[in-house]
Amino acid sequence: MESHGSGKIMCITGATDGIGKVAASELAKQGYTLALVGRNSEKGQRVMSEIAQDSGNENIRFHTCDLSSMADVRKLAEEIKTEYDQLNVLLNNAGAYFSEFDKTDEGFERTFALNHLAYYLLTYLLMEMLERTKSSRIVNVASDAHRGSKMSFDDLQGFDGYKGWPAYCKSKLANIMFTYELDRRISGKNITVNCLHPGFVDTNFGNNNSGSARIGLNVAKKVGAISPAKGGLTSIYLASSEEVKGVSGKYFSKCKPKKSNAASYVEADQEKLWQITESFLA
Ligand SMILES: NC(=O)c1ccc[n+]([C@@H]2O[C@H](COP(=O)([O-])OP(=O)(O)OC[C@H]3O[C@@H](n4cnc5c(N)ncnc54)[C@H](OP(=O)(O)O)[C@@H]3O)[C@@H](O)[C@H]2O)c1
């Protein structure tokens, strides 16, 4: 077992399946103490035991949290702050595509809540912990699906005509814009933040939907998707590799920095998104 994660603590959201689970398994082997986050406690306990057994690493805990609930995200952050004394890596990974419009109990559109607000809020609430940890990293799982998108500030949550796939793509653009804005805001601190495209990956992604949305994605996966093991590589790289120590504010794909779309680089829009997000969560 490689042990360069030894003594380091990492929080991984969406660690019960897909890319997050692959990353958790590998990072457990590297010796990290892991705080795994998922919404299903039974599945979480099972995955945690499986990973502990495979890796021989017993320093793994599971935290139940529905990340589309900001009240739950706040509880999770309190738990993390109480149970760990430092945080070396926060891997914001949990995300989903919702083909139909749905509002959370808190009144947010569900894609926007889970894919964007949870990344922002969890990071914000754990920032003090990340700051006091010597050299910490934030990694945000985004997607190349952002490429055709731009932020529509007049209807950020799609209340005036929701379309599932465009809403997903916009949420992934938000992950990238959040990364770039955060990078400017933490400049001079001993923290890095990067985001990534994992590839088109054969995971459980999209299976929460029914009908053509679900079928279409699964057909596409059969034809062109890479394995979860491959899909986890860039997350693992950004979370743990010495090669990216000190590298910040970049979008990665296949473990290499890559340009994201033009809209993602508009600083005024990054700041506007930040301010609106902040106002939602105040
Ligand atoms: N798959 C792709 O081709 C692809 C491409 C680009 C980007 N991505 C991004 O990669 C990330 C991971 O996706 P994946 O492909 O690994 O999908 P996945 O197999 O569906 O895994 C998603 C993970 O997030 C968890 N999750 C979902 N909703 C949650 C909630 N409300 N609260 C807490 N946890 C929740 C899931 O929990 P359960 O185990 O309970 O379902 C699971 O652990 C996402 O951000 C996605 O946008 C995926």
Side-chain angles (χ1 to χ4, degrees):
M1 175 166 70
E2 285 186 60
S3 63
H4 66 262
S6 179
K8 291 185 181 159
I9 301 172
M10 181 172 323
C11 174
I12 305 177
T13 71
T16 49
D17 222 318
I19 296 161
K21 185 179 169 190
V22 164
S25 304
E26 171 55 28
L27 294 158
K29 288 180 191 149
Q30 291 185 17
Y32 285 86
T33 292
L34 296 180
L36 308 181
V37 179
R39 59 188 161 174
N40 177 335
S41 55
E42 211 178 290
K43 186 172 176 181
Q45 296 297 334
R46 190 161 24 87
V47 168
M48 181 183 73
S49 309
E50 206 184 288
I51 294 176
Q53 201 167 12
D54 284 358
S55 62
N57 181 343
E58 293 293 327
N59 297 319
I60 306 173
R61 276 181 241 170
F62 179 73
H63 301 267
T64 309
C65 175
D66 176 354
L67 291 153
S68 60
S69 156
M70 297 309 116
D72 248 31
V73 173
R74 289 180 199 278
K75 272 194 229 145
L76 169 69
E78 281 313 308
E79 234 171 82
I80 302 280
K81 288 197 270 190
T82 308
E83 294 186 26
Y84 307 90
D85 55 2
Q86 62 180 56
L87 185 61
N88 299 81
V89 185
L90 170 61
L91 174 51
N92 286 309
N93 163 77
Y97 152 52
F98 300 95
S99 62
E100 302 297 327
F101 180 81
D102 190 22
K103 250 191 198 177
T104 66
D105 291 347
E106 294 164 332
F108 297 116
E109 185 283 308
R110 192 166 292 282
T111 319
F112 184 74
L114 174 63
N115 294 8
H116 170 59
L117 293 182
Y119 279 32
Y120 175 96
L121 185 60
L122 188 59
T123 306
Y124 171 79
L125 295 172
L126 297 178
M127 189 50 79
E128 185 270 326
M129 212 177 167
L130 289 156
E131 272 181 40
R132 87 178 126 75
T133 305
K134 188 174 161 258
S135 177
S136 54
R137 301 179 183 199
I138 301 159
V139 179
N140 297 320
V141 179
S143 172
D144 257 3
H146 79 279
R147 293 216 171 268
S149 286
K150 81 191 235 297
M151 216 37 80
S152 45
F153 288 106
D154 50 337
D155 185 25
L156 207 48
Q157 300 187 61
F159 288 152
D160 298 336
Y162 179 83
K163 289 201 179 90
W165 189 249
Y168 172 75
C169 298
K170 218 186 300 169
S171 73
K172 295 286 115 181
L173 174 63
N175 296 158
I176 300 169
M177 293 170 73
F178 164 58
T179 301
Y180 296 161
E181 177 69 24
L182 180 60
D183 175 58
R184 278 203 304 282
R185 288 178 183 245
I186 59 177
S187 132
K189 296 183 176 158
N190 215 1
I191 312 175
T192 61
V193 58
N194 292 292
C195 57
L196 68 112
H197 171 56
F200 179 44
V201 193
D202 188 7
T203 61
N204 211 19
F205 181 77
N207 286 338
N208 52 302
N209 299 300
S210 57
S212 58
R214 182 184 172 127
I215 295 165
L217 254 177
N218 281 308
V219 170
K221 281 183 209 163
K222 286 228 166 352
V223 178
I226 58 173
S227 67
K230 270 196 181 157
L233 290 177
T234 306
S235 298
I236 295 163
Y237 177 73
L238 288 175
S240 64
S241 173
E242 282 297 304
E243 271 177 38
V244 280
K245 195 172 179 204
V247 174
S248 191
K250 301 264 183 284
Y251 179 66
F252 281 75
S253 177
K254 295 186 179 164
C255 301
K256 296 263 181 288
K258 201 173 165 187
K259 280 247 168 223
S260 50
N261 78 356
S264 67
Y265 290 106
V266 180
E267 287 189 12
D269 285 350
Q270 294 163 9
E271 195 176 338
K272 193 169 176 181
L273 178 65
W274 183 284
Q275 278 165 359
I276 295 172
T277 307
E278 194 173 41
S279 74
F280 283 155
L281 298 170

